[in-house]
Amino acid sequence: MNITRSFFSIVGAVLLLSCNSTKQALNNSKVVDDGKISFTFLQVNDVYEIAPLAGGKEGGMARIATLKKNLLKENPNTYAFMAGDFLSPSLLGTIKYKGKRIKGEQMIEVMNTVGFELAAFGNHEFDLSKGELQQRLNESEFAWTSANVRQKFCGDTFPFFKKKNGIKEFVSDTHIIEAKDADGTQIKIGLFSVTLPSNPQSYVAYTDIYVQAKRAYESLKKEADIVFGLTHVKLEEDKKIAELLGDIPLIMGGHEHTNMLIEVGTTKIAKADANAKTAYIHRVEYDKKTKSYHIKSELKPITDKLANDLAAQKVVDKWNTILNEEIKEIVSNPNDVIFNAKTPLDGRDTPIRSVQTNLGQLIARSMSYGFDDTVDCALVNGGSIRIDDQLKGDINSLDIFRVLPFGGGILKVEMKGNLLKQVLDAGVARAGTGAYLQRYLAEFDTTGNSWMINNVPLDTEKIYTVAFSDYLLKGFDIPFLKPDNEGVLKVHTPTNDEVGSDIRKTIITYLKSIK
């Protein structure tokens, strides 16, 4: 017998057995469920523009796509959420493409490319007609959820739905994500959404946000390990929901346009800045055994320091080309900076339809400038100002188109003082609606209880010259304000070569003059 050979055979067998045992131990260690798992939420809200703003410095959905990819490398359990208001309003949405208004098609395409997991309905989603919204739902590759919004049909209500290949996929009251990590820990993450009923439409049925939030939350707690909110309501309503539910860890909200992270008891309420100027990153650690969690929320500025994702940028470029071709028919260099707003110009929906804002006054001031300041005052309906945001820093012509996407001319109207008083009174009476009037050289003196026109009390017997947005004289917002009203004596409509032929061109010209 060869002793040497036998020795090495025995040693080899021992080593082989040891290696196999080591491999088996390593393999076993990989599948041991420690009951702990981490996941990441990427939250944006109130995003109306797919391209960067502020001269390319802030926002941009192609940058959001890059951020998501970076987060996925950090943790495969990463999910992107939109907390409402993204289909409207937008400048692109008002432009016609292939014979139809775009109406949010650009946002759906870019969100599909980014890879969003879930979207909540915002109040502005219902700016669209029923057919337009249905088309956007059909195009979306991400899920939608709502506990309190349904569609009306034949005297009854039904959930909204997506229709693909002839099959209806109904929007669920709640949404569940099933996550799993490398060691086999599995978890069900529940989400619910509610929307404030601030945009009544004939095809939309709203139910109580608090009742439905409570119902959806309690339902999810029976199915999911941990539950979160994805809401589009006012901050005060989010706070009440947090108090009502008591132990919800996080509510990712929309509607407000400035970032905030507020704690109500043990609940965090997070809202990012509008138009993806910032995004919230919520890193969550959850222990399935103890049902304990830890959330680290980071507000991430979306700036030009973040690269554009190539696939998403291709989509953005496609729609920007369509937009620029349309705008260049009015302004040759839409991206040139024309003004720097050191104080933010407020065009948010609620104030612009309720009080005098600096943006509203600037627009009315520009209207007067368009007629070489030969008018006694200028009036524009707040509802025509559609940006629902604030402008700050460098402003270009494209931004002005975003403010007033529908354009229209400015009319120079000679009218009796008694009719002007009725118009001004009607504007105040309609505060909170699109008929509220933003004004220049027309202010109400509470001391004298009278309207002042260029610092002089309004004389009902006098003839005044007023600059109006052309929409106002169609009688939609103020029914009696039409050219055939006996108080309207003369209407001048600018020709195409006059600056007042397009209200946006007038504002741009004025801003350039004071730059």
Side-chain angles (χ1 to χ4, degrees):
M1 181 178 179
N2 190 322
I3 297 175
T4 303
R5 179 182 294 178
S6 297
F7 173 78
F8 282 109
S9 297
I10 293 168
V11 170
V14 171
L15 288 172
L16 181 62
L17 182 62
S18 175
C19 287
N20 287 337
S21 299
T22 302
K23 287 180 180 179
Q24 186 64 43
L26 289 171
N27 288 334
N28 289 340
S29 68
K30 289 181 180 178
V31 295
V32 173
D33 179 359
D34 63 0
K36 297 177 182 179
I37 190 170
S38 64
F39 49 93
T40 302
F41 296 155
L42 172 59
Q43 172 201 348
V44 291
N45 52 272
D46 302 87
V47 182
Y48 310 120
E49 304 295 337
I50 60 175
L53 304 173
K57 296 175 184 176
E58 297 179 336
M61 291 298 282
R63 293 169 182 163
I64 293 293
T66 295
L67 178 58
K68 188 189 177 212
K69 285 186 174 179
N70 292 344
L71 291 172
L72 279 167
K73 291 175 185 176
E74 176 187 299
N75 189 336
N77 293 321
T78 293
Y79 311 97
F81 302 138
M82 178 70 77
D85 273 10
F86 54 98
L87 296 182
S88 175
S90 73
L91 173 58
L92 254 170
T94 66
I95 291 173
K96 282 189 175 181
Y97 175 62
K98 295 182 179 180
K100 294 182 179 180
R101 300 279 180 196
I102 293 171
K103 294 291 186 178
E105 182 181 349
Q106 81 285 2
M107 190 62 73
I108 295 294
E109 186 174 357
V110 79
M111 286 175 67
N112 287 342
T113 306
V114 172
F116 275 77
E117 168 75 24
L118 183 65
F121 289 94
N123 53 292
H124 278 304
E125 269 58 83
F126 304 119
D127 289 348
L128 278 63
S129 69
K130 184 175 182 178
E132 290 165 344
L133 179 57
Q134 186 60 61
Q135 187 62 34
R136 300 293 87 83
L137 286 163
N138 294 347
E139 292 163 354
S140 56
E141 295 172 5
F142 47 87
W144 297 66
T145 188
S146 178
N148 80 311
V149 173
R150 293 162 69 88
Q151 61 177 318
K152 296 178 182 177
F153 185 72
C154 294
D156 205 345
T157 66
F158 300 88
F160 285 92
F161 61 86
K162 292 196 289 184
K163 192 172 184 179
K164 292 185 181 293
N165 301 317
I167 300 173
K168 290 183 180 179
E169 178 186 328
F170 287 97
V171 169
S172 176
D173 280 9
T174 58
H175 184 77
I176 291 180
I177 297 171
E178 295 187 4
K180 183 178 180 180
D181 66 8
D183 65 24
T185 306
Q186 298 183 57
I187 186 177
K188 287 185 178 181
I189 304 166
L191 295 111
F192 72 90
S193 177
V194 287
T195 305
L196 78 168
S198 69
N199 193 356
Q201 297 290 351
S202 60
Y203 69 92
V204 182
Y206 296 96
T207 49
D208 186 272
I209 59 174
Y210 303 115
V211 171
Q212 299 306 329
K214 180 75 171 176
R215 177 187 60 80
Y217 185 61
E218 295 298 333
S219 172
L220 278 168
K221 286 181 72 174
K222 297 174 184 177
E223 301 181 63
D225 295 279
I226 188 170
V227 181
F228 302 90
L230 182 69
T231 65
H232 193 89
V233 298
K234 297 175 184 177
L235 175 61
E236 291 307 311
E237 293 166 333
D238 273 319
K239 288 180 177 179
K240 288 181 182 177
I241 290 171
E243 292 171 354
L244 177 68
L245 304 184
D247 57 352
I248 185 169
L250 172 67
I251 295 174
M252 294 170 281
H255 193 61
E256 277 83 10
H257 286 193
T258 52
N259 74 78
M260 59 187 75
L261 186 64
I262 295 169
E263 293 187 6
V264 177
T266 59
T267 303
K268 285 185 177 182
I269 300 170
K271 306 196 184 201
D273 293 286
N275 283 317
K277 295 171 188 173
T278 60
Y280 255 112
I281 301 168
H282 306 287
R283 294 177 174 88
V284 187
E285 296 176 358
Y286 183 73
D287 189 323
K288 197 172 179 180
K289 296 175 181 177
T290 63
K291 300 187 183 301
S292 60
Y293 60 85
H294 175 73
I295 302 174
K296 182 180 179 182
S297 297
E298 174 193 354
L299 184 69
K300 176 72 174 178
I302 308 301
T303 69
D304 50 8
K305 293 180 181 179
L306 196 60
N308 290 316
D309 174 73
L310 295 179
Q313 187 60 44
K314 187 176 179 180
V315 175
V316 173
D317 289 344
K318 164 192 162 181
W319 290 106
N320 268 353
T321 299
I322 294 167
L323 176 63
N324 286 330
E325 287 175 357
E326 184 83 9
I327 291 177
K328 283 179 180 178
E329 293 183 10
I330 301 172
V331 179
S332 56
N333 300 301
N335 294 300
D336 287 354
V337 174
I338 58 172
F339 186 72
N340 184 273
K342 294 179 174 61
T343 301
L345 299 173
D346 195 351
R348 293 172 298 169
D349 267 5
T350 298
I352 207 72
R353 296 172 180 231
S354 305
V355 296
Q356 297 294 284
T357 78
N358 54 358
L359 178 60
Q361 290 167 346
L362 184 148
I363 292 169
R365 172 69 185 92
S366 302
M367 292 164 64
S368 174
Y369 176 84
F371 290 115
D372 298 321
D373 291 328
T374 58
V375 298
D376 295 301
C377 63
L379 305 173
V380 59
N381 56 306
S384 66
I385 300 165
R386 303 290 293 170
I387 190 172
D388 197 10
D389 200 357
Q390 299 184 79
L391 292 176
K392 63 180 179 179
D394 288 344
I395 295 174
N396 58 28
S397 298
L398 192 61
D399 292 320
I400 303 306
F401 277 75
R402 289 173 53 226
V403 172
L404 293 156
F406 298 108
I410 305 170
L411 304 180
K412 188 175 183 180
V413 181
E414 291 183 18
M415 63 193 308
K416 295 179 180 178
N418 63 338
L419 177 58
L420 176 57
K421 181 181 183 302
Q422 290 174 29
V423 169
L424 291 169
D425 287 343
V428 172
R430 287 163 172 77
T433 74
Y436 179 79
L437 299 177
Q438 294 291 328
R439 311 179 299 267
Y440 173 64
L441 296 180
E443 299 297 333
F444 190 77
D445 178 17
T446 55
T447 303
N449 196 34
S450 65
W451 284 102
M452 305 291 288
I453 305 299
N454 200 6
N455 296 316
V456 178
L458 186 152
D459 183 349
T460 57
E461 301 300 319
K462 182 180 175 180
I463 304 301
Y464 289 93
T465 302
V466 183
F468 281 106
S469 52
D470 63 358
Y471 179 86
L472 267 176
L473 232 68
K474 295 176 181 178
F476 295 127
D477 280 351
I478 302 176
F480 59 82
L481 184 58
K482 295 181 181 179
D484 60 1
N485 187 303
E486 63 179 13
V488 175
L489 305 179
K490 187 178 179 180
V491 178
H492 169 70
T493 302
T495 59
N496 289 335
D497 59 348
E498 290 183 84
V499 68
S501 62
D502 191 296
I503 190 171
R504 298 165 299 193
K505 184 189 290 186
T506 308
I507 298 167
I508 291 165
T509 304
Y510 172 68
L511 289 178
K512 286 181 176 179
S513 75
I514 62 173
K515 182 178 177 182

